[in-house]
């Protein structure tokens, strides 16, 4: 009898929970009065700026706004940020908002959602303006897939002329900016217009929730598709006044595959026509006061790099041994030193913390997998990392010269890293200064025992006598 009653109770509770969820969801009705989306396709990193003017048309207050993404775009989403506009005109400001992934039980076609928490709940009839930035990687499809050395690179971009949203939208417009005026074809959804290197879809009036209108843009994009398949950065902290950075790169050209034989003569004699989609140098933005910089690959040091420094920043222009075409790869190492006083500080609670930059120093580069290893001095305890976005964290132990118990290593891992991730992060830890005497005492003890052994050897008579 109990086996029959329990499923009925469970089913009743499920129905009641679903009813409560639906009643709460529709107690306040969000409506988007105007949505303007600007899609920047200037490089292989797709940046989208979305402005939403939302209104609470319901009877109760609303504390969050939902963003919806198709499954394919959700997998390519690298960065998402939302700001709330405050004030007007010259006194206009922006307040950062908390954005978290969320789920809805009735999501159509596996739609992915993100919840934007408002600073102040929207009461009935109130409006708010949201400024949203999201970045996609690997969203441009080369077509044709293979090109010769003398051909330009053409790519596809797939999206929707209408913004995917769970809310009713009164008016919306989409602008698409291409890197050049050479657009092979694009989908026409009335009203559609084109001016120079910009496409305009809309304005569209009174669209129902989850409206979708697929579009396809085929255009020329010869910008370098620099993709770092894996980057391992090791930051070694030494309390003797130095910070040593070592970065291991696995770089690839993520554009259309190169077809045929590479001709260096043609590449150098006709640089504006031959290999226009390839790249032979990259620019790395390093911190100021950098020193002891080196750049090498598996063969050895590469002397074709250039370093420019001033009191604000340092720029390292690196040039691989050969230009990179579509599908070609290169591996290399960049190392440099920094003064510890610029990055190590002491908090109010007595702990020390390292303040360093996350992300990749190479500009306009996508990193498929980034691993940052912060090697703390031996004797460091209670390490913790503070990163402004979700990352995977764990601890390791590394042994170096004269180490006894090993050094604690804080490992941070993140996939799909783009330039907007180049923001500071902190690693906190406690350290007893007495541990700084460990290595000098070990060296002094070793020399002392060595000299004692020498004196003992000279004064001991080991000869055989009658």
């Amino acid at each position: 009898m109990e086996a029959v009653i329990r499923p009925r109770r469970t089913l009743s509770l499920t129905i009641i929970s679903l009813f409560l969820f639906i009643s709460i969801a529709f107690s306040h009705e969000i409506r988007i009065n105007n949505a303007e989306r600007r899609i920047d396709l200037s490089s292989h990193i797709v940046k989208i700026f979305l402005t939403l003017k939302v209104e609470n048309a319901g009877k109760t207050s609303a504390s969050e706004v939902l963003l919806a993404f198709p499954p394919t775009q959700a997998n390519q989403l690298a960065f998402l940020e939302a700001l709330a506009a405050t004030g007007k005109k010259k006194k206009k400001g922006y307040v950062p908002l908390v954005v978290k992934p969320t789920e809805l039980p009735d999501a159509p076609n596996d739609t992915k959602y993100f919840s934007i928490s408002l600073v102040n709940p929207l009461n009935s009839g109130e409006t708010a303006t949201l400024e949203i930035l999201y970045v996609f990687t690997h969203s441009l499809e080369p077509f044709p897939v293979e090109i010769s050395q003398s051909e330009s690179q053409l790519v596809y971009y797939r999206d929707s002329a209408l913004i995917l949203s769970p809310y009713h939208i009164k008016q919306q417009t989409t602008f698409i900016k291409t890197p050049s005026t050479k657009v092979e074809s694009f989908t026409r959804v009335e009203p559609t217009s084109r001016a120079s290197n910009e496409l305009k879809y809309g304005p569209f009036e009174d669209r129902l929730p989850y409206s979708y209108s697929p579009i396809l843009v085929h255009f020329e994009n010869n910008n370098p598709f620099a993709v770092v398949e894996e980057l391992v950065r090791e930051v070694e902290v030494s309390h003797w006044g130095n910070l040593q950075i070592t970065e291991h790169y696995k770089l690839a050209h993520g554009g259309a595959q190169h077809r045929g034989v590479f001709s260096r003569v043609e590449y150098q004699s006709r640089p504006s026509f031959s290999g226009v989609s390839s790249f032979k140098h990259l620019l790395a933005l390093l911190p100021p006061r950098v020193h002891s910089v080196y750049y090498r690959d598996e063969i050895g040091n590469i002397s074709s790099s250039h370093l420019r420094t001033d009191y604000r920043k340092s720029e390292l222009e690196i040039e691989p041994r050969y230009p990179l075409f579509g599908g070609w790869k290169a591996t290399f190492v960049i190392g440099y030193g920094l003064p510890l006083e610029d990055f190590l500080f002491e908090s109010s609670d007595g702990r020390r913390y390292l303040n360093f930059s996350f992300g990749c120093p190479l500009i306009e580069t996508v990193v498929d997998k980034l691993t940052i290893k912060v090697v703390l001095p031996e004797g460091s305890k209670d390490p913790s990392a503070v990163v402004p976005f979700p990352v995977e964290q764990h601890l390791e132990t590394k042994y170096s010269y004269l180490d006894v118990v090993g050094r604690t290593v804080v490992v941070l891992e993140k996939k799909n890293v783009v330039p907007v991730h180049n923001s500071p992060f902190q690693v906190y830890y406690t350290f007893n200064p007495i541990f700084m005497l460990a290595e000098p005492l070990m060296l002094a003890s070793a020399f002392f025992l060595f000299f004692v052994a020498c004196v003992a050897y000279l004064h001991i008579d080991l000869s055989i006598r009658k």
Side-chain angles (χ1 to χ4, degrees):
M1 188 67 179
E2 292 182 0
V4 178
I5 294 175
R6 286 180 180 176
R8 289 181 179 177
R9 289 179 178 175
T10 306
L11 180 61
S12 301
L13 291 174
T14 304
I15 294 174
I16 293 173
S17 301
L18 182 61
F19 176 76
L20 289 175
F21 174 81
I22 294 174
S23 61
I24 293 173
F26 288 93
S27 61
H28 57 263
E29 181 183 353
I30 295 295
R31 181 175 59 193
I32 299 178
N33 293 332
N34 187 27
E36 182 180 287
R37 180 175 55 166
R38 295 187 175 272
I39 304 175
D40 187 1
L41 305 179
S42 301
S43 69
H44 66 299
I45 303 173
V46 179
K47 306 179 186 68
I48 300 180
F49 303 89
L50 178 62
T51 302
L52 298 178
K53 294 183 179 180
V54 299
E55 179 185 0
N56 185 4
K59 297 180 180 180
T60 60
S61 61
S63 59
E64 64 177 12
V65 176
L66 296 179
L67 288 179
F69 294 94
T72 53
Q73 287 191 344
N75 296 331
Q76 298 165 345
L77 182 64
F79 182 80
L80 177 59
E81 181 186 45
L83 304 173
T86 59
K88 295 182 180 180
K89 295 183 179 180
K90 293 183 178 180
K91 296 183 179 180
K92 193 173 183 179
Y94 296 95
V95 178
L97 303 177
V98 178
V99 182
K100 294 182 179 180
T102 186
E103 295 182 0
L104 294 184
D106 55 348
N109 300 325
D110 297 326
T111 302
K112 305 298 181 181
Y113 297 91
F114 287 85
S115 171
I116 302 177
S117 301
L118 302 176
V119 177
N120 299 314
L122 275 182
N123 296 322
S124 179
E126 292 183 344
T127 60
T129 301
L130 304 181
E131 299 286 347
I132 303 168
L133 166 66
Y134 46 99
V135 181
F136 293 126
T137 60
H138 303 289
S139 297
L140 302 182
E141 308 171 28
F143 187 82
V145 180
E146 295 182 351
I147 58 175
S148 64
Q149 183 174 336
S150 59
E151 291 180 299
S152 295
Q153 181 173 256
L154 302 176
V155 295
Y156 275 141
Y157 176 70
R158 305 174 188 270
D159 208 325
S160 172
L162 302 174
I163 300 170
L164 184 65
S165 176
Y167 308 117
H168 176 270
I169 303 180
K170 294 184 64 176
Q171 186 181 55
Q172 59 178 304
T173 311
T174 296
F175 298 90
I176 300 179
K177 179 184 177 182
T178 57
S180 66
T181 57
K182 187 177 181 180
V183 179
E184 297 291 314
S185 62
F186 60 93
T187 306
R188 294 185 178 272
V189 180
E190 295 301 329
T192 303
S193 60
R194 177 188 175 190
S196 184
N197 63 334
E198 186 175 77
L199 299 173
K200 179 182 179 182
Y201 288 93
F204 303 103
E205 306 287 343
D206 292 324
R207 297 295 176 171
L208 296 176
Y210 298 106
S211 298
Y212 198 79
S213 179
I215 58 174
L216 183 66
V217 183
H218 191 204
F219 61 97
E220 181 185 63
N221 190 339
N222 288 319
N223 292 307
F225 279 39
V227 178
V228 178
E229 296 179 342
E230 185 177 4
L231 169 57
V232 179
R233 172 192 288 174
E234 185 177 270
V235 182
E236 186 171 350
V237 181
S238 173
H239 284 172
W240 295 101
N242 189 50
L243 198 68
Q244 184 62 39
I245 317 297
T246 308
E247 299 173 347
H248 299 263
Y249 289 85
K250 292 182 179 179
L251 180 66
H253 190 305
Q257 302 288 315
H258 179 261
R259 183 182 69 243
V261 180
F262 169 64
S263 173
R264 184 171 290 274
V265 175
E266 180 183 352
Y267 184 79
Q268 294 180 345
S269 60
R270 304 175 60 192
S272 58
F273 298 97
S274 179
V276 290
S277 63
S278 65
F279 60 92
K280 60 181 180 180
H281 61 81
L282 292 170
L283 186 63
L285 300 180
L286 305 180
R289 302 179 63 186
V290 68
H291 62 85
S292 305
V293 181
Y294 63 89
Y295 164 48
R296 58 178 174 82
D297 58 7
E298 295 177 351
I299 300 177
N301 185 53
I302 304 176
S303 59
S304 54
S305 59
H306 304 280
L307 178 64
R308 297 181 291 270
T309 62
D310 56 31
Y311 67 95
R312 293 177 300 176
K313 65 179 183 302
S314 302
E315 295 181 347
L316 176 63
E317 184 178 351
I318 64 175
E319 184 175 342
R321 295 186 183 274
Y322 48 86
L324 290 181
F325 286 81
W328 291 16
K329 299 182 180 182
T331 58
F332 55 88
V333 179
I334 297 178
Y336 51 93
L338 294 167
L340 186 65
E341 60 185 11
D342 294 348
F343 302 93
L344 189 66
F345 307 94
E346 186 173 351
S347 60
S348 57
D349 58 357
R351 293 192 301 169
R352 306 188 185 195
Y353 69 94
L354 176 74
N355 186 60
F356 205 70
S357 177
F358 199 88
C360 177
L362 301 179
I363 63 173
E364 287 301 314
T365 303
V366 174
V367 182
D368 291 339
K369 182 181 179 181
L370 171 62
T371 303
I372 296 181
K373 298 183 178 182
V374 180
V375 184
L376 301 177
E378 190 177 26
S380 301
K381 297 181 180 180
D382 304 325
S384 62
V386 179
V387 189
F389 32 78
V391 297
E392 296 181 4
Q393 303 183 26
H394 66 272
L395 299 179
E396 294 179 355
T397 302
K398 178 184 178 181
Y399 290 89
S400 184
Y401 302 105
L402 301 177
D403 288 343
V404 178
V405 297
R407 305 186 183 189
T408 303
V409 182
V410 180
V411 182
L412 308 175
E413 295 182 349
K414 184 172 179 58
K415 297 181 179 180
N416 222 12
V417 178
V418 290
V420 289
H421 286 124
N422 292 351
S423 57
F425 74 98
Q426 296 79 36
V427 175
Y428 290 82
Y429 64 96
T430 59
F431 182 79
N432 191 341
I434 196 65
F435 282 98
M436 293 186 65
L437 301 177
E439 293 181 359
L441 289 176
M442 288 178 61
L443 289 174
S445 300
F447 279 108
F448 176 75
L449 292 176
F450 174 76
F451 285 116
V452 168
C454 292
V455 171
Y457 175 77
L458 293 175
H459 286 77
I460 294 177
D461 187 6
L462 298 178
S463 61
I464 301 176
R465 296 182 178 178
K466 294 181 180 181

